[in-house]
Amino acid sequence: MTGRPTRPVIPLHLQAHSASPDQVSGSRHLAPVPLALYVHFPWCLQKCPYCDFNSHAWPAGSGGSALPEQDYVAALLTDLEQALPLIWGRRVDSIFFGGGTPSLLSAAAVETLLGGLRSRLRLLPNAEITLEANPGTVDAAKFAAYRAAGVNRLSLGIQSFADEQLLALGRIHNGEQARRAIETAALHFDNFNLDLMYGLPGQTLDQAMADLRTALAYAPPHLSCYQLTIEPNTAFAARPPELPEADACADMQDAIEGELAAAYVHYETSAFARRGKECRHNLNYWHFGDYLGIGAGAHSKLTLPERILRQMRWKQPQTYLARVAAGKSVQEEHAISPADLPVEFMMNALRLLGGFEAQLFEARTGQPLTQIAAALQHAERAELLERNGWHIAPTDRGRRFLNRLLAAFLPSQA
């Protein structure tokens, strides 16, 4: 689920004043907070049974009509314009088109959207611009057109190369389409990610490794490897498939990490990259940077004077379109309380296997490190975390038991 900000929010009245460019919260002016843009496309051809993202199957109730991409692109740009007072003057380091299935968008729509974003934002000339693509919705001409429009990084939702597994996951592509999509992507993009899943229904260790080795044959610059989990309010939650035992899944994880160790940097819990190809957009999340999310159900985290604000847009696409037209794209919002800032920061930063420098905590939260001194000591004593000078990182044990590590920083524990 790379690229998607999904933090929960609660209602609070929006205060309309804007932050100074790249200012952080708190009374002190600290280091600039990077800003990214997330753009959510809410439709898919069909909803996967494991998916708990804000995605909606277009054929259901559509009567065969075309996607309203022109209306949706216009709404995205209007949504952005309404949010500009909150980010005025700040530069944008990356853009991520997530979904849903953004590759259902025509190349013309992507070009129009990127042109509109560029005209309204201080987008870095070398900004990373990622688009998620489903192998069942793309062809060579579309990939070439996306690249010409300015997309410079592609994320392909492969999941598996085994037709049996893809069918069990409800995917619309088969193994051959997955292979063709990777070959085509490599012709047009020198930076692309492959999403793989393991722990699939009926999957063995050998089958999981076969998927990985097939992916490696294409020398992807980046790989995301996730264990399938059953999430609430999904079709799998209502009708759970038979998944491999926990020990078998742990063996798959160990084998995958071992296979990738020689050529890839394992820099985040589920992310592996050739050196220099780490996803800049996702790193901004893990470093507790800021992001503006536009589109149906998109989340934002924005640093303003004296507070850090979280927002969520209206989730239902038609409601979102109507609310944007009425000038009210935000459904829910709240300021993160000072007591919650430590665990919010750690929920992101401790996903990085290499950890973080201590000064980043103060720079992103406006709080001194002494605020969490007792929690750090508790986590160290439990061998969940280690400190080397000013560097803080999860141990192997802490990475395996991340929820236990994070619990040390909850307001009632810290």
Side-chain angles (χ1 to χ4, degrees), residues 389-400:
W390 289 99
H391 189 81
I392 299 169
T395 61
D396 287 343
R397 174 180 168 83
R399 182 166 66 89
R400 294 284 181 167

Side-chain angles (χ1 to χ4, degrees), residues 95-145:
I95 297 175
F96 196 102
F97 295 96
T101 307
S103 54
L104 289 175
L105 283 167
S106 69
V110 171
E111 184 175 15
T112 298
L113 181 53
L114 277 173
L117 297 177
R118 290 190 183 98
S119 69
R120 292 163 173 82
L121 296 170
R122 284 183 58 202
L123 185 62
L124 285 184
N126 67 338
E128 178 189 86
I129 302 176
T130 303
L131 185 140
E132 288 187 329
N134 186 310
T137 64
V138 291
D139 54 36
K142 192 176 245 190
F143 275 159

